[in-house]
Amino acid sequence: MNRKLLLHSVVLAGSLCAVGTATAESRISGEMMANACAPCHGTYGHLENEYMPPLAGMPEQDFIEGMKAFREGTRPATIMDRVARAFSDEEIEAMAEFYAQQTDGGDNE
Amino acid sequence: MSEINRREFIKLLGAGAALGSGLFGSRAFGAAAPHVVVIGGGTGGATAAKYLKLADQNIRVTIVERNKEYVRCYGSNEVLTDHCTMDDLVIGYDALKDKYGIEFVFDEVVGVDPEKRRVDTAGGTRLDYDRLIVSPGIDYRWEAIDGFTPEVAETTIPHAWKAGPQTELLRRQIHAMPEDGTVVIAAPPNPYRCPPAPYERASLLAEWFKAHKPRAKILILDPKEGFTKDQPFMLAWNRLYGFNIPASHMEGMPDDVRQHDSGFIEWVPGTEGGKVTGVDPKTNTVHTANLDSIQGDVVNVIPPQKAGKLAFKMGLTNAQGWCDVDRNTFESRVHKRIHVIGDSCIADAMPKSGYAANSQAKVAAAQIVHMLRDEPLEEPLFANTCFSRANTEYGVSIAAVYRVRDGRIVSTPGSGGVSPLDAPPMANRLEALYQESWMRAFVEDTFA
């Protein structure tokens, strides 16, 4: 019980800390970042039959892991390694959340 | 007279709308919606209009544009070598009209009154705005090159820097020139629209000459000492076109770089006589700062550039001929409620590219929506990515993500850059495919 409570507080502190960092370093919205990606990945991530992947509706964790792997250089890349290095963990998470929500087929479809 | 009365009436309605937005709070603008007028239906203007409507259908958005169709510059080099036709460059405005409800006035702007917040067109349309976005593109500094005039460019020495009749003229000249002819490309000084384009143009011509005129040459005269993606371009030229990479650009080059006896492309930087100061259309000759005269079978001089004509007419430009703006909102430092985006605006580290205009347009649109709703502004983020083709199957790229720091737009430290010189052939092939996809996806994001 104590251990569980302790763990809970650590997680809570961790998440507070993460929020604090995001607020201090970046308040850029997921949509703002996704808009900057849209010329290659489509408006709100909607893209059909192209060599770049569509990002709309991508599960959050897939996006986060993919972008972090590009950033750390553990995933082979042509251009995305250069792009991913611009983003913090919090920013990648905000983009992931935005793209995961784009499940409606898109306003531009 | 009754026409004027009607306009006065519409103006009164407009005033009511402004009051309404204050009274009804953040999302509902009341019975009369705020009106954003966009002058210029190019990449910047089209993107801004679309993203304003995506953000809030209740905002009335009107684009004022001279031409009923847009002819895209990006990809227009491909017309020169028959990879595509002029028709392929034409983009209609139907999607922006029908899908998003953007209104269009196809007319020339003859007056903008920043105090009354009013735009007048040659055809007599008067538009009152809450916010005005202008995306005037570029114009040329003819006076920087002796003997170069719009007439010379239209008839003899095309710049072909906006896709149109000059693109077709340059194509005809290249196809008609002798088998062993020389094309002289005079590249412009920074800043100018689409920084990699002179070098992509040389690349595509070299690919075409290799197949059709194998003894032809391309001489690039450059006032600069380097250019965007210069090392990836030069490496590709060495591999594909017998180009000898100058010592100044050899750092980091891979082992397969070779010395060639002759090649299709030669590049002359400013310090070695690359700065063109004049042209003689009678003899197809360019004069350089080093007092050389160089004759070409085809001469393509791309003049130094400045903000588009409308920016000058509206008094939005600074002493250098570009428009100073608040980097968070793109609101002009000269006129309130007028936002300048795209090639005409000063955006520091960002290039004057279609991607950059698209990115700035989205930021301006987002901030304008906040301003109309009396909401706080948000922190902006911009990007630019450009794929160029060294040949049909070999692409090179540059990418950057930009932020505002201390009132200036800067590239995010530790990120971005050009295609690595040690990239495997697969990566160059992929970047050529990405160029194809980018062209479609970008047009879609901007105009559809």
Side-chain angles (χ1 to χ4, degrees), chain B residues 71 127 235 381 434:
Chain B
V71 183
L127 298 163
L235 176 59
L381 182 119
Y434 292 155

Side-chain angles (χ1 to χ4, degrees), chain A residues 47-105:
Chain A
L47 196 64
E48 281 179 41
N49 302 323
E50 300 297 352
Y51 296 105
M52 288 83 81
L55 301 173
M58 182 182 276
E60 269 184 71
Q61 208 49 40
D62 291 1
F63 183 92
I64 292 167
E65 283 170 15
M67 281 290 279
K68 286 184 178 173
F70 277 136
R71 191 181 63 187
E72 312 313 329
T74 55
R75 176 173 170 178
T78 50
I79 191 167
M80 277 309 299
D81 51 343
R82 289 174 262 159
V83 174
R85 285 199 295 271
F87 297 102
S88 68
D89 285 356
E90 292 80 5
E91 289 172 339
I92 289 172
E93 285 156 20
M95 271 187 278
E97 189 183 351
F98 176 81
Y99 280 125
Q101 290 164 356
Q102 309 307 312
T103 54
D104 61 350

